[in-house]
Amino acid sequence: MRNIIFYFPYRGIGGVSLLFQRLSSCLVGLRQVFLVDFYDGFMGRTVPHGVDFIDFESASNYPKDSVLVVQSLAPWNIRNADKFDADTRVLFWNLHPLNFYPYVFSLHSTIRWKALVAKLLFPLSVFRRHKLAKIVEYLSSRNALVFMDSENYERTSAFFPGSIIQKHLLPILLPAGKQSYKEPERELQCCWIGRIVDFKVHILLHLIGRLDEATSITGPIHMTVVGDGACLEHLMVEAAVYKNIKLTFIANVPPDQLDDFIGTHVDVLFAMGTSALEGASRSVPTILLDYSYYPIKGLYRFKYIFEAEDKSLAELIQNGRHMEPVSTIGDMLLEIRTNNVSVRRSCYSYWLQYYSPAAVTHVFLSYADGTTATIGEMRALGFFESDKVSRIMKNVTKSKRILIHGFLEN
């Protein structure tokens, strides 16, 4: 019956801070729970009743007899790790397929010169990759590494071939929203909710093109894109060529207005990750999208959220099982019109079984009680010290920032 410490110092608002804040609320009365954040961070400003807050900037030591819960990351990026008691147990939660990215430079860049630099310096990643492999193997051997879905497990395993990594799945959670009972209108109201960034923009463009073609089967379609990000302008320019579909772009919908927005404006939700659960938890027909860093070639095979394999809320699109010979999106939209209640119930039931607070809390506690990895053991193994190349790159970056800061001051 150890304390639970959710550690995510972050001044903005994001999926991890929302997840930890929501889960901490579910654990009230079951464990003593602490949120570690900046005083003005999202978790710091929204501490649930019954949960204790620890100011990251002023904390001298953290509670003993605890389980430290962090999003998977290189341990040397856990700031002030020395303030945790040696007996503190740890649980790493993989919440993004690239959490344990083992390369010094990203190989996914679409900018030619950056991609070239990454390839040229690829051999330098051997030190980082070797150390992260040891860390991942250690955590897995101590039941201290869990994955939000199969995609996170598969990507991590691919980074470290030959490593023994146990497939422990711990889905994310989302509380139920206001139930939607909106019947599709003549003009079908489709919607995307999510950031418009490099690995999401290509599938979103592909979706818009496919919906544009599907209007010949379904009738008028109004597609509302809710989200902002670095690729938004690119999306708007590229999508302008489609004339059959009506497009509306909205930067964001405040969380306290999401119930009304979905209940009024959404017949079908297209999304990935937590955004997909926003629809399923409200009984909205939800079609799950996968991700790609490059334009989609061929016909992507769309699927309902309840058809997802191994709780994956987004997979890397690859040829084969993610593609189809003939477009079926028009038939799916017709099914949503004719079997609306059945599709709604299936989406909601899937959320209830795997992603509702009741379902996730039980699984989380079993993993929190089962981890045997400790801060002291990780410290003795040198896991809080980065590899040589990462250390050099960090120092170079730090020196560059100091020079720029000094130049601006002068």
Side-chain angles (χ1 to χ4, degrees):
M1 298 293 291
R2 291 173 176 260
N3 304 316
I4 305 292
I5 301 175
F6 290 103
Y7 179 96
F8 192 69
Y10 180 60
R11 284 197 165 88
I13 179 173
V16 178
S17 49
L18 276 167
L19 173 63
F20 284 2
Q21 188 252 20
R22 289 165 173 164
L23 184 51
S24 70
S25 178
C26 296
L27 294 171
V28 172
L30 300 175
R31 300 292 170 87
Q32 186 68 37
V33 186
F34 299 84
L35 290 178
V36 178
D37 193 9
F38 293 104
Y39 183 77
D40 56 349
F42 171 76
M43 294 195 304
R45 291 182 281 106
T46 59
V47 181
H49 179 72
V51 174
D52 292 309
F53 172 68
I54 299 177
D55 186 352
F56 168 75
E57 294 183 296
S58 63
S60 55
N61 289 292
Y62 293 102
K64 297 182 178 181
D65 300 320
S66 299
V67 177
L68 170 65
V69 182
V70 297
Q71 177 183 213
S72 291
L73 76 170
W76 52 84
N77 290 323
I78 299 178
R79 291 175 287 178
N80 298 332
D82 58 311
K83 294 181 180 180
F84 288 97
D85 186 74
D87 291 332
T88 300
R89 297 187 185 184
V90 295
L91 183 65
F92 280 59
W93 196 350
N94 232 79
L95 298 168
H96 190 286
L98 303 184
N99 274 163
F100 279 121
Y101 194 71
Y103 308 116
V104 177
F105 296 95
S106 174
L107 299 177
H108 295 297
S109 178
T110 55
I111 300 175
R112 183 172 297 180
W113 73 266
K114 287 187 176 182
L116 179 60
V117 169
K119 290 181 180 179
L120 290 173
L121 298 180
F122 181 80
L124 295 179
S125 297
V126 64
F127 303 102
R128 177 184 176 90
R129 190 177 181 183
H130 179 68
K131 184 148 195 173
L132 284 176
K134 284 186 174 181
I135 291 168
V136 169
E137 285 186 332
Y138 164 80
L139 292 173
S140 186
S141 70
R142 299 295 192 276
N143 296 315
L145 177 59
V146 294
F147 302 88
M148 65 168 279
D149 58 19
S150 182
E151 174 69 6
N152 272 259
Y153 171 78
E154 297 295 341
R155 292 301 110 207
T156 303
S157 297
F159 289 147
F160 311 107
S163 296
I164 300 175
I165 305 174
Q166 299 183 68
K167 190 175 183 179
H168 292 316
L169 300 184
L170 174 59
I172 58 177
L173 68 81
L174 187 77
K178 182 180 179 181
Q179 297 303 293
S180 173
Y181 301 102
K182 184 178 184 300
E183 290 290 333
E185 303 171 1
R186 179 179 177 276
E187 182 180 69
L188 196 64
Q189 302 292 315
C190 296
C191 182
W192 154 277
I193 297 178
R195 293 180 297 142
I196 317 298
V197 291
D198 57 352
F199 66 97
K200 295 183 179 183
V201 68
H202 298 296
I203 186 61
L204 184 50
L205 267 172
H206 183 79
L207 167 65
I208 292 172
R210 296 281 292 280
L211 291 179
D212 188 76
E213 294 178 357
T215 55
S216 62
I217 299 175
T218 65
I221 293 178
H222 180 192
M223 177 69 178
T224 302
V225 177
V226 180
D228 200 353
C231 296
L232 177 59
E233 184 176 352
H234 171 73
L235 173 69
M236 296 176 71
V237 170
E238 294 294 319
V241 302
Y242 300 111
K243 304 301 181 183
N244 297 323
I245 185 174
K246 179 181 177 182
L247 291 171
T248 299
F249 295 89
I250 301 175
N252 68 80
V253 175
D256 60 347
Q257 298 177 25
L258 201 56
D259 279 336
D260 290 338
F261 175 82
I262 290 178
T264 304
H265 299 287
V266 182
D267 295 321
V268 188
L269 179 67
F270 294 87
M272 61 180 72
T274 304
S275 296
L277 298 179
E278 298 285 5
S281 66
R282 291 174 169 82
S283 297
V284 172
T286 302
I287 295 179
L288 194 64
L289 299 181
D290 295 309
Y291 67 95
S292 173
Y293 289 92
Y294 305 99
I296 311 299
K297 296 180 180 180
L299 294 174
Y300 170 77
R301 179 178 62 82
F302 295 94
K303 60 181 178 291
Y304 292 112
I305 189 171
F306 54 79
E307 296 177 312
E309 297 181 6
D310 242 351
K311 308 179 183 68
S312 290
L313 293 177
E315 298 177 346
L316 178 64
I317 296 175
Q318 302 174 12
N319 291 331
R321 65 192 182 93
H322 291 110
M323 312 305 285
E324 60 186 6
V326 179
S327 180
T328 59
I329 183 63
D331 294 331
M332 291 182 72
L333 297 180
L334 288 178
E335 181 184 24
I336 289 172
R337 281 193 181 280
T338 57
N339 297 318
N340 191 259
V341 174
S342 176
V343 175
R344 287 176 178 278
R345 285 176 177 171
S346 295
C347 291
Y348 179 81
S349 296
Y350 186 75
W351 163 81
L352 185 65
Q353 182 176 359
Y354 297 113
Y355 301 98
S356 63
V360 175
T361 300
H362 170 74
V363 181
F364 170 81
L365 284 176
S366 68
Y367 283 125
D369 291 340
T371 176
T372 58
T374 66
I375 289 287
E377 194 169 37
M378 293 180 67
R379 192 177 291 148
L381 291 169
F383 290 161
F384 292 106
E385 299 173 5
S386 63
D387 63 280
K388 295 178 181 179
V389 174
S390 295
R391 191 157 54 247
I392 292 172
M393 294 302 301
K394 184 176 182 179
N395 289 335
V396 169
T397 303
K398 183 178 181 181
S399 299
K400 184 178 179 180
R401 288 175 180 170
I402 292 173
L403 286 172
I404 293 174
H405 182 68
F407 174 78
L408 292 174
E409 283 189 337
N410 293 327

